[in-house]
Amino acid sequence: MSKHLSGSQIVCEALLNEGVNVVFGIPGGAILPLYGVLSQYPDLRHILTRHEQGAAHAADGYARSTGKVGVAFATSGPGATNLVTGLATAMMDSVPMVAITGQVGRGAIGTDAFQEADITGATLPVTKHNYLVMRASDLGATIHEAFYIARTGRPGPVLIDIPKDVFTEMGEYDPDAPIDLPGYKVPGKADESQIDAAAELINQAERPVILAGHGVILSRSFDELKEFAEKAQIPVVTTLLGISSFPEDHVLSTGFPGMHGMAYASLAVDQADLIINFGSRFDDRIVGDPKRFSTGSKKIHVDIDPAEINKSIQVDAPIVGNIKDVFAQLIPKVKKTTHVEWLRHIEHLKAEHPSLRIPESDRLMGQHVVKALSDVTKGEAIITTGVGQHQMWAAQHYQFKNANSWLSSGGAGTMGYEVPSAIGAQVGNPDKLVWSICGDGGFQMTMMELATVVENSLPVKYAILNNNHLGMITQWQGFFYNGDYQAETYTGNPDFVKLAEAYGIKGIRVTKQDELESAIAAANAHDGPVIVDFVIEKVDDLYPMIPAGQSVQELIEDPN
Amino acid sequence: MASSTGTFQRTISALVQDKPGVLARISGLFRRRGFNIASLAVGRSERPGMSRMTFVVEGPDTVVRHVAAQLDRLIDVVEVHDITDQNIVWRELALIKVAAPASSRGDVLELANVYRANVIDIGVESLTMEISGGRQKIDSLIELLKKFGLLEVIRTGRVATLRGTLVEGEDDGLFQADASNPTYILPIQTGETGSV
Ligand SMILES: Cc1ncc(C[n+]2csc(CCOP(=O)(O)OP(=O)(O)O)c2C)c(N)n1
Ligand SMILES: [Mg+2]
C-alpha cells in the first residue's frame, strides 16, 4: 500500500525495509533535511564519522564482515567527493554498499551553486550504478533498486544523489512496488553443459589446484568449497582476497600465490595440470606475466561476471553462475579421488619452500608481531589491514581459522582502510574480537576516526606496525630504483601511545620480542579500544617476491 | 577485418534504456577500457522507452572482443550483441555538397546516377546529394567527387541488423572477424538465487 511521505521519510522507511539498522555519515547543508527526520526513526542508528572517507570504509568493513549492504551518508560537493576513495575501494573488491548523498536543489543543478559537485558524473567509474533522483515519488523504488543491484550478481557500490528539495517534497512510497530492471541479469545456476565440461576436466586431472577468490567469500560458499576440496582431494590456494575462504589449518590449505605470496603456492599453481578458479579475476598480482602463467595447466574459471571470463587469461572451461549454485551443481559430478602423489608433492613443496621463515633476529620484526597476534588470538580474530608490508605480513603469518575474517583492500590497495574498516567490522560484529593491523603510514591517513571509536565505545584493537617508514615504498625503491630512497622516511611520527591517551584510549608500546604476548593479551583483556605501538625494524626485504609483470621463474624466495 | 596495424573492428548492436546519462555511461566505459569508437549511431528503437545503438569499435583484437561483455554489465543496457561474425547487413549515410557550376554539373550528376545517390538540393554553384551503402562505396564516390571540389561531407555512423534470410546480398562491407579466434557469447542462466 502506498504512503504519502516526505522524501526524507521515504529514504528512512525504504532503508528500514531493506533491513538497514546502521549508517555511517556526516551531515551538511544539502542532506540536512534527511538528518531532520532521523529522530523519527530510532531503529536507524547513525554513526558520525570524522571524515566521509571513514564513513565509506566503515560501511565497507561492515558490509564485508556481515554480508549486509553497508550504508554511508554524505552531503553535496566536498562531502560527496570525500566518499570517492571509499567507493573505488568497494568497487574494486565487489563490496555491496549504498551511498546516499545530498545534492543542491533541483533549480540550482548545473549552475556551479555553492557545494555543487556532479557526483553521479564523478562516480561513474567507481560505482556499479548510480542515480540522481529528481522526484520524491521515485525515491522508494530507486532505493530498493539500488540495494538489489548492490547485493546481487557481482556486488558493488551504488550511489544515490538526492537534491535538497527532493528530501522535503511530499511523494508516494509503495514498499511493495516491483523492481523493474530489464537490463540487469543476475546469473544463478550455470549452464549444465559448462558444468559437465568442467567436471570432466576435474575428473581427469592429476595435479589440480583450486584457486579460491573473493567470490567464494561474497557468495558465502565456505562449506561448499570445503566439501568440494575434500571430496576430490584438491589443494586449495586462495587469492589475497580469498584468504579466510578456507581454514588455514586444514591439510589441503596451500597458502596464497603471487607477488608476495608463499613460494609453495606459486609453485603449486605453476606445476598444476588444472586450475579451478572459483571467483577470482586472475588479477595481475597473481598472474604476473600472462604469457608465462601456469602454462602447463588447463583452466576452469567460475565467475558470476561474464566479463571476467577470458579477460586476462584464456580459459578452457568457463562457468558463469553464482558460485554457491555452481558448487551444488558440480559437487555431485566430481568423483571421489585421492591425488596421493600430487598431495605428497605439495607437502614436499611446503617443506622445501617454507616461505614463512621468520627472520632470526633479536630485534622486533613485523613478522614477529603478526605471528604473536595469530598465536595469542588463536587465529580467530577478525583482521583488517592497511596496504604495505604490514598487510603482506598479516596475510602471510596470521593463520586464519574462521570464515570471512580477513578484510583488506586488495584491488584498490587503499592505505588508510585499516582504521575505519575495523570500526565497521566491530559495529557489525559487536561480540567478536577485531584487530586492525596498521601501517604507521596508513594509520595516519585515517586516524581521525579514533574519535568515532571512542564515541561509540567500540573495543577495536589497533596494532600499529610502526617502522617509521612507508615500508613498501622503501622496499620498491631499494629493489627497483637502485636504493635511491625518496620520500619514504618519517621523522615526524607522533608518539602513538600519547596519541591514544589524548583520545582516552589505552596505549601500549612494545619494542622487544619478549613483550609481545603479554601486551597482546593485555589488549585483548582490556574492555575497550587499545592502540599498541609495535616499534619494529625498518626492513626492505619482504619476501617471497615475484616482481611485477614477471613469473614464477623470477620468484625470489629469500635472498638472505 | 584486420588492418595492417593489428587493429580489429567489431560491430556491436545494443538496446539501451532511453534515460538521461546513458550515453555518458557508455562513452565513459569505452574510454576507461581503451575501446575506440570508430562510429556510433543512436536512435529510438521499435520498443517504447528503448533506444538502439550501433557501434563500430576499433582496437587490438584482445581488447575489442570484450566490448560486448563490458557493455552488458551496464544496468541501462538491456541487450547487446556483437554481430561482427554474424550475417549482417549494414548501411551508412552521407550528405555530400559538391561544387557544380554549369560547366561540370552534367559530370557530377552522371556520377551521382552511377552510384545511385539522390540529389536533394541544388544551388546555382553547387548541389547536395545523399548516398547510403557500405563504406567502400561511399568512400569511392567521395574520392571521385574530389576533383569537382568538395564543399562539405557529412557522414553518419553505421547502422546494422541481422539478415532475415540466408541469402547473401550485395557486398556491403561485411567485416570478417579473425576466424581462428572466435568470440563466444556465454550463456547465462538467470536464477532467483542470484543474490549473495
Ligand atoms: C592512499 C594511498 N596512497 C599511496 C599508496 C602507495 N603506497 C603503497 S604501500 C605504501 C607505504 C605504506 O606505508 P605504511 O602504511 O607505513 O605500511 P608499511 O609498508 O610500512 O608496512 C604506499 C605509500 C597507497 N597504496 N595508498
Ligand atoms: Mg610503515
Side-chain angles (χ1 to χ4, degrees):
Chain A
M1 208 202 64
S2 173
K3 286 181 175 176
H4 192 64
L5 298 168
S6 74
S8 295
Q9 290 172 314
I10 296 175
V11 171
C12 292
E13 299 218 348
L15 290 178
L16 287 169
N17 284 333
E18 285 293 340
V20 175
N21 42 37
V22 59
V23 304
F24 303 89
I26 300 183
I31 200 171
L32 271 181
L34 177 60
Y35 281 79
V37 302
L38 283 183
S39 61
Q40 300 168 25
Y41 299 95
D43 292 342
L44 211 52
R45 174 181 178 199
H46 181 272
I47 293 184
L48 176 63
T49 59
R50 290 299 185 270
H51 190 295
E52 289 85 355
Q53 183 186 350
H57 290 324
D60 169 317
Y62 176 87
R64 290 193 208 217
S65 64
T66 62
K68 293 166 74 175
V69 178
V71 182
F73 284 177
T75 194
S76 66
T81 56
N82 272 351
L83 289 176
V84 171
T85 302
L87 293 169
T89 304
M91 182 70 177
M92 287 294 267
D93 290 350
S94 310
V95 177
M97 262 175 69
V98 167
I100 292 182
T101 50
Q103 180 55 278
V104 299
R106 280 171 287 190
I109 290 178
T111 66
D112 303 319
F114 177 65
Q115 287 193 335
E116 179 180 5
D118 171 13
I119 199 63
T120 45
T123 59
L124 271 184
V126 296
T127 51
K128 185 171 171 185
H129 196 53
N130 64 22
Y131 299 89
L132 170 63
V133 186
M134 296 297 270
R135 284 171 0 128
S137 291
D138 291 340
L139 275 171
T142 304
I143 289 173
H144 293 307
E145 232 176 77
F147 274 79
Y148 180 68
I149 290 171
R151 70 166 182 266
T152 57
R154 179 179 183 168
V158 179
L159 180 135
I160 306 172
D161 198 24
I162 307 175
K164 186 171 187 176
D165 56 338
V166 173
F167 283 119
T168 48
E169 184 179 79
M170 295 303 289
E172 299 306 310
Y173 172 45
D174 176 4
D176 305 316
I179 288 176
D180 178 31
L181 285 168
Y184 184 59
K185 302 151 200 91
V186 178
K189 279 174 115 176
D191 198 85
E192 242 0 271
S193 63
Q194 294 183 340
I195 298 282
D196 290 341
E200 197 178 321
L201 288 179
I202 295 167
N203 290 332
Q204 283 165 2
E206 285 169 10
R207 301 186 308 280
V209 168
I210 293 169
L211 179 67
H214 200 200
V216 175
I217 292 177
L218 290 167
S219 63
R220 300 295 188 266
S221 304
F222 312 110
D223 295 342
E224 291 85 349
L225 171 62
K226 199 151 159 273
E227 190 187 339
F228 175 80
E230 285 175 351
K231 182 170 181 191
Q233 289 293 302
I234 302 177
V236 179
V237 159
T238 66
T239 66
L240 183 73
L241 282 188
I243 287 177
S244 80
S245 63
F246 192 75
E248 294 188 343
D249 53 353
H250 194 288
V251 279
L252 292 172
S253 170
T254 312
F256 71 96
M259 183 175 278
H260 289 298
M262 290 74 150
Y264 55 81
S266 296
L267 289 166
V269 166
D270 187 57
Q271 295 170 7
D273 68 352
L274 177 68
I275 294 177
I276 314 161
N277 171 351
F278 289 102
S280 151
R281 58 190 167 88
F282 281 123
D283 173 77
D284 57 88
R285 304 278 111 156
I286 292 176
V287 166
D289 178 358
K291 290 197 196 69
R292 291 189 290 149
F293 174 71
S294 187
T295 45
S297 64
K298 294 227 176 324
K299 280 137 200 124
I300 297 172
H301 186 175
V302 186
D303 209 298
I304 199 160
D305 181 354
E308 290 300 343
I309 307 287
N310 291 338
K311 190 179 83 177
S312 59
I313 293 289
Q314 292 294 315
V315 299
D316 303 277
I319 300 183
V320 176
N322 184 314
I323 292 181
K324 211 176 178 73
D325 294 324
V326 170
F327 271 124
Q329 292 173 276
L330 200 52
I331 290 172
K333 296 196 168 163
V334 168
K335 281 199 246 129
K336 252 187 135 114
T337 29
T338 50
H339 297 122
V340 182
E341 249 174 77
W342 173 233
L343 289 177
R344 203 171 287 147
H345 180 69
I346 299 273
E347 283 315 306
H348 171 78
L349 287 179
K350 286 183 186 169
E352 291 284 291
H353 305 275
S355 293
L356 298 182
R357 191 184 65 84
I358 292 185
E360 275 166 42
S361 164
D362 304 337
R363 299 166 305 166
L364 185 61
M365 317 286 269
Q367 295 96 321
H368 296 138
V369 177
V370 176
K371 178 75 174 54
L373 274 169
S374 183
D375 290 345
V376 176
T377 62
K378 302 196 189 68
E380 290 170 353
I382 294 178
I383 300 293
T384 84
T385 75
V387 172
Q389 291 182 315
H390 67 282
Q391 176 192 31
M392 293 300 132
W393 287 321
Q396 292 174 346
H397 296 277
Y398 197 90
Q399 197 184 50
F400 291 87
K401 300 212 181 109
N402 291 340
N404 192 28
S405 54
W406 160 254
L407 278 59
S408 192
S409 167
T414 306
M415 280 172 75
Y417 180 75
E418 55 260 69
V419 182
S421 59
I423 293 176
Q426 188 77 77
V427 168
N429 301 270
D431 302 325
K432 289 196 183 151
L433 178 62
V434 178
W435 270 94
S436 169
I437 299 181
C438 311
D440 51 324
F443 184 82
Q444 290 181 80
M445 285 195 178
T446 46
M447 68 183 182
M448 73 290 273
E449 301 305 342
L450 293 173
T452 314
V453 170
V454 172
E455 235 157 52
N456 293 280
S457 311
L458 300 170
V460 181
K461 318 298 176 195
Y462 288 100
I464 304 177
L465 268 56
N466 182 3
N467 51 11
N468 284 290
H469 273 82
L470 295 166
M472 188 64 106
I473 301 299
T474 308
Q475 162 134 7
W476 279 54
Q477 289 179 342
F479 208 95
F480 301 112
Y481 298 89
N482 302 317
D484 180 12
Y485 297 109
Q486 297 292 331
E488 39 71 71
T489 307
Y490 283 144
T491 54
N493 270 355
D495 177 329
F496 289 111
V497 172
K498 282 196 184 147
L499 181 87
E501 285 160 3
Y503 280 99
I505 294 175
K506 183 180 171 72
I508 303 175
R509 176 162 298 117
V510 173
T511 57
K512 298 196 192 68
Q513 289 178 31
D514 58 13
E515 300 165 351
L516 281 171
E517 301 219 340
S518 59
I520 295 166
N524 286 342
H526 179 70
D527 181 23
V530 180
I531 292 174
V532 190
D533 180 21
F534 294 100
V535 184
I536 60 167
E537 283 301 315
K538 180 211 101 174
V539 289
D540 47 10
D541 57 359
L542 162 63
Y543 291 102
M545 165 140 156
I546 301 175
Q550 305 281 340
S551 84
V552 73
Q553 280 87 38
E554 285 80 25
L555 188 147
I556 305 160
E557 195 159 359
D558 187 348
N560 304 311
Chain B
M1 184 191 282
S3 77
S4 54
T5 56
T7 50
F8 285 78
Q9 284 202 337
R10 300 201 80 86
T11 304
I12 313 269
S13 168
L15 193 67
V16 308
Q17 289 199 285
D18 191 4
K19 283 187 180 169
V22 173
L23 194 56
R25 285 179 203 281
I26 291 173
S27 59
L29 170 85
F30 278 51
R31 181 184 51 74
R32 280 200 301 289
R33 301 267 171 197
F35 305 147
N36 192 19
I37 306 184
S39 96
L40 166 64
V42 195
R44 294 259 150 84
S45 75
E46 73 287 356
R47 281 168 63 176
M50 307 265 181
S51 298
R52 192 174 303 279
M53 295 188 176
T54 311
F55 311 90
V56 180
V57 288
E58 246 169 27
D61 187 45
T62 45
V63 174
V64 292
R65 274 147 43 75
H66 293 284
V67 173
Q70 289 294 345
L71 272 175
D72 210 18
R73 295 174 80 196
L74 297 178
I75 311 285
D76 293 333
V77 172
V78 177
E79 259 176 36
V80 44
H81 300 284
D82 182 334
I83 55 177
T84 314
D85 306 337
Q86 319 269 328
N87 191 12
I88 56 173
V89 57
W90 59 266
R91 287 289 179 270
E92 291 177 18
L93 176 77
L95 299 183
I96 305 167
K97 187 187 281 178
V98 61
S103 55
S104 59
R105 183 160 294 192
D107 292 345
V108 171
L109 285 172
E110 195 179 315
L111 262 179
N113 202 19
V114 170
Y115 275 81
R116 280 180 273 162
N118 295 324
V119 175
I120 53 172
D121 185 54
I122 296 194
V124 180
E125 294 295 322
S126 71
L127 63 80
T128 302
M129 61 182 90
E130 87 184 322
I131 176 171
S132 81
R135 193 171 61 179
Q136 282 100 332
K137 175 179 165 191
I138 297 176
D139 282 350
S140 77
L141 174 62
I142 291 171
E143 199 50 44
L144 290 171
L145 287 171
K146 269 185 184 162
K147 69 171 184 203
F148 300 104
L150 283 178
L151 301 176
E152 208 176 345
V153 175
I154 300 164
R155 297 179 70 160
T156 65
R158 179 184 307 173
V159 289
T161 185
L162 293 178
R163 282 183 192 282
T165 64
L166 291 174
V167 179
E168 290 283 325
E170 67 179 294
D171 174 23
D172 46 26
L174 173 70
F175 279 83
Q176 294 298 316
D178 176 5
S180 62
N181 213 356
T183 323
Y184 50 91
I185 307 271
L186 293 159
I188 304 179
Q189 295 208 349
T190 309
E192 293 292 290
T193 48
S195 61
V196 290

